[in-house]
Amino acid sequence: MDFTIDKLRSLMKKQQSLIEAHIRRKMTGIIIKESQSYDLKELVLKFIPEAIGKEFEKTTSGIFPLQNVYIRKVKILKARPRQVNGGSWRLQ
């Protein structure tokens, strides 16, 4: 039994999107873990020498071998509140 060209292409597309979803999940997990353990300034300093890019390459190597991983843009989705001297709260 042979598959049609359309069926083969749809299977390839589905497999590719599954791989991308797994890689994206691993990368967001790393970013969340790092952002919770570091301050914003320390996190930005970690982005600059591509230390997190190397960690992405190591973590996702079992799914798909990535090369030359760079962080191009960073977007803050939700700021954590932080306490100041007077006991009141404000956003970082």
Side-chain angles (χ1 to χ4, degrees):
M1 179 175 147
D2 286 333
F3 289 113
T4 63
I5 293 173
D6 292 336
K7 180 68 174 174
L8 286 173
R9 288 186 180 154
S10 71
L11 290 173
M12 293 290 285
K13 215 175 247 193
K14 181 179 180 182
Q15 182 67 22
Q16 180 180 359
S17 63
L18 286 174
I19 289 172
E20 289 174 0
H22 288 299
I23 290 173
R24 194 175 303 118
R25 187 178 312 141
K26 293 266 188 185
M27 291 175 140
T28 54
I30 291 170
I31 292 289
I32 289 170
K33 181 185 72 167
E34 294 292 327
S35 65
Q36 290 174 349
S37 59
Y38 291 106
D39 195 22
L40 183 61
K41 288 181 182 180
E42 295 167 348
L43 190 62
V44 170
L45 291 175
K46 195 165 183 174
F47 287 158
I48 293 171
E50 296 303 324
I52 291 183
K54 300 280 187 217
E55 192 172 341
F56 287 159
E57 289 176 9
K58 285 190 287 184
T59 305
T60 59
S61 65
I63 300 170
F64 191 81
L66 297 177
Q67 298 175 1
N68 302 327
V69 178
Y70 301 105
I71 294 178
R72 189 180 71 178
K73 185 194 275 188
V74 177
K75 182 177 181 181
I76 298 176
L77 299 177
K78 186 170 88 174
R80 292 183 291 183
R82 127 181 138 166
Q83 190 171 8
V84 291
N85 297 338
S88 62
W89 293 87
R90 71 171 195 194
L91 295 177
Q92 285 180 319

